[in-house]
Amino acid sequence: MIVLIWQRCCRRRRRRRRSRRLCLSCAILSEANRPASMLASQKLASRCLRCLVRCKSTTSIGSGSNSSRAKASVVAEQSLGIIGVPFAKGQGKQGVELAPDLLRQSNLRQVLQSSHDGLVIRDYGNLQYAVDETLLQQQRVHYHHIRNYADFMACNRALIEQVKLMLQQNSQFLAIGGDHAIGFGSVAGHLQHTPNLSLVWIDAHADINLHSTSQSGNIHGMPVSFLLEQLRTTWQHAGLNEIAPNCLPKDQLVYIGLRDIDPYEAFILNKFGIRYYAMDTIDRVGVPKIIEMTLDALNPQNKIHVSFDIDALDSNVAPSTGTAVRGGLTLREGISIVEALRDTKRVQGVDLVEINPKLGNERDVRTTVESGLEILKSMFGYRRSGHWSNIDTGILGSD
Ligand SMILES: NC(=[NH2+])NCCC[C@H](N)C(=O)O
């Protein structure tokens, strides 16, 4: 008995000692306030017991290197960059720009961290952008009939660069909208970093309108049309080849949850044979089959981008959103879908968009935010079936 206690004690002490050694990401991200000299002398472990990740690169940050150089050279295996994109000009309702900060205040970071204790999280704050004269000119001459084209382009141009940066520094990224217009920049930036990409667009809407087909003039109903090669010519004055040279192949796009498709969108989807699982198909075959068909359609070598519009969920679990449509996915169905995608271990980029805290009452807002957090939690590691890591497995004694 005494020997057993002594052994357990030693094990704990050893663990505590080791946990003081940090991987480069933890040293930089969690101890950001330390003076650079201390950072440089930080003893680095090849396996960090704080975040339980093995660094792909354990480049030394000694020899007087500054921390920003060290930062750029490291990608922890399970690290997540988060960017808030408070863009609301893709549609007409104020409030969707408040979602990134509201999710942060609702403990986004803690929720993600507690669902996956190996995850190293870095929050890059909220995206800023500036509109320039060229974009205003494009808007005046070619796209005056759709709303806020110049802002849309300026924001997405900045987002493309931000996504590329986050993927240089992290293994995954999360973009929090804002409205779904940001789906263009998020996926386009992802495609520039990882040209072999598959996209799963989970939404009540197809968001594949062209400027010539949109009935609302709202650009949050158009982002997908900027991404597909076959539709590029319809945006010939937008300079897409310069800002977003890589396109998404139409067979690597799958929609889930659609139930409000405009006539021209239905025409486009069918003309190009784009796979979409609308709610009627989901009702008919069930979520497990939808997941199976989705995974079968995606190239298994590709990384995956999941663009999740909160309005994919039924309005009883996500009431605070600008274009709610009844009869959507239950929260359980939404969770099952993102769990299955996560289990591929290929998800590299995620968007969560269209939460609008100015719509509905306090309870509606809370319900919507909580649903969003549940989706993200499962997306980034939480298992309903339970799991263990970073615990004292000697607790039951050795046999
Ligand atoms: N991401 C969204 N909530 N999109 C809604 C789009 C609605 C409609 N199809 C439109 O183009 O205006």
Side-chain angles (χ1 to χ4, degrees):
M1 187 61 185
I2 292 176
V3 172
L4 202 78
I5 293 172
W6 180 76
Q7 273 178 348
R8 206 178 296 157
C9 215
C10 282
R11 221 179 296 138
R12 272 201 208 119
R13 226 179 300 138
R14 218 179 308 134
R15 198 168 295 135
R16 229 175 289 135
R17 210 177 327 122
R18 265 189 291 161
S19 70
R20 254 177 261 130
R21 296 192 331 204
L22 302 175
C23 75
L24 206 45
S25 293
C26 280
I28 292 164
L29 303 179
S30 310
E31 317 274 317
N33 297 332
R34 285 184 180 203
S37 55
M38 258 177 101
L39 202 57
S41 65
Q42 182 77 48
K43 181 135 174 67
L44 300 172
S46 61
R47 188 174 175 84
C48 168
L49 279 218
R50 169 177 295 190
C51 65
L52 288 181
V53 294
R54 196 177 282 283
C55 288
K56 268 186 195 155
S57 155
T58 50
T59 322
S60 166
I61 56 169
S63 67
S65 65
N66 65 28
S67 58
S68 61
R69 205 169 86 213
K71 243 183 240 176
S73 62
V74 171
V75 177
E77 241 170 48
Q78 294 177 307
S79 49
L80 174 69
I82 299 178
I83 185 73
V85 193
F87 185 77
K89 295 191 171 181
Q91 41 81 65
K93 294 177 185 160
Q94 288 291 305
V96 75
E97 72 283 2
L98 303 173
D101 286 341
L102 180 60
L103 282 160
R104 288 185 181 104
Q105 284 153 24
S106 310
N107 295 332
L108 169 71
R109 197 184 185 116
Q110 292 85 331
V111 166
L112 295 180
Q113 199 69 75
S114 63
S115 58
H116 182 162
D117 48 17
L119 197 62
V120 181
I121 299 173
R122 177 169 177 189
D123 190 344
Y124 291 76
N126 288 341
L127 189 76
Q128 313 250 339
Y129 67 87
V131 177
D132 63 28
E133 188 43 45
T134 316
L135 293 178
L136 288 171
Q137 177 76 1
Q138 281 176 9
Q139 176 169 291
R140 270 194 301 268
V141 179
H142 304 289
Y143 303 118
H144 49 88
H145 51 298
I146 57 177
R147 270 182 249 157
N148 305 318
Y149 167 85
D151 279 89
F152 164 82
M153 266 301 171
C155 175
N156 279 304
R157 223 168 38 182
L159 183 54
I160 288 170
E161 294 311 313
Q162 179 66 37
V163 167
K164 288 191 323 200
L165 175 78
M166 289 192 294
L167 283 176
Q168 277 159 22
Q169 298 179 343
N170 304 276
S171 60
Q172 287 176 296
F173 74 92
L174 165 65
I176 306 173
D179 64 53
H180 219 163
I182 71 158
F184 164 51
S186 183
V187 179
H190 199 170
L191 273 164
Q192 281 192 44
H193 179 274
T194 306
N196 296 329
L197 191 67
S198 305
L199 172 61
V200 182
W201 194 273
I202 306 175
D203 200 326
H205 311 90
D207 293 347
I208 198 167
N209 268 306
L210 314 174
H211 60 94
S212 54
T213 66
S214 169
Q215 291 162 0
S216 65
N218 289 335
I219 211 158
H220 77 154
M222 311 179 202
V224 180
S225 69
F226 286 82
L227 296 166
L228 297 180
E229 195 173 1
Q230 291 74 8
L231 297 175
R232 280 246 149 145
T233 49
T234 67
W235 292 106
Q236 58 186 320
H237 305 292
L240 294 180
N241 291 344
E242 283 83 62
I243 67 160
N246 298 343
C247 294
L248 185 81
K250 62 184 168 60
D251 67 342
Q252 289 307 304
L253 166 61
V254 177
Y255 285 102
I256 301 177
L258 306 191
R259 56 194 183 278
D260 183 11
I261 308 174
D262 295 345
Y264 279 106
E265 291 185 306
F267 169 71
I268 292 168
L269 294 179
N270 285 284
K271 178 166 171 59
F272 295 120
I274 293 168
R275 258 184 216 85
Y276 66 100
Y277 301 121
M279 285 312 297
D280 57 346
T281 313
I282 299 177
D283 286 343
R284 220 173 24 248
V285 304
V287 163
K289 184 70 186 167
I290 296 293
I291 291 169
E292 187 190 314
M293 293 191 295
T294 301
L295 295 180
D296 279 353
L298 306 182
N299 182 336
Q301 311 298 328
N302 281 10
K303 294 289 186 189
I304 299 174
H305 187 112
V306 183
S307 199
F308 199 106
D309 188 321
I310 201 75
D311 71 24
L313 298 178
D314 192 81
S315 29
N316 63 12
V317 282
S320 295
T321 187
T323 45
V325 191
R326 305 198 77 158
L329 298 169
T330 64
L331 184 56
R332 263 167 75 181
E333 289 174 327
I335 289 173
S336 288
I337 294 166
V338 298
E339 271 178 353
L341 292 168
R342 176 209 62 207
D343 284 345
T344 65
K345 298 194 168 53
R346 306 201 315 266
V347 174
Q348 194 171 245
V350 173
D351 312 320
L352 178 66
V353 296
E354 298 280 355
I355 293 177
N356 189 332
K358 284 226 169 122
L359 299 178
N361 57 31
E362 215 176 290
R363 183 146 171 256
D364 292 336
V365 175
R366 200 172 346 108
T367 305
T368 311
V369 166
E370 279 169 10
S371 296
L373 289 174
E374 288 295 328
I375 292 294
L376 291 180
K377 207 165 107 176
S378 293
M379 190 79 258
F380 291 108
Y382 179 76
R383 285 173 191 280
R384 290 182 290 173
S385 53
H387 80 298
W388 64 90
S389 69
N390 200 20
I391 58 165
D392 184 356
T393 50
I395 187 128
L396 301 178
S398 53
D399 42 17

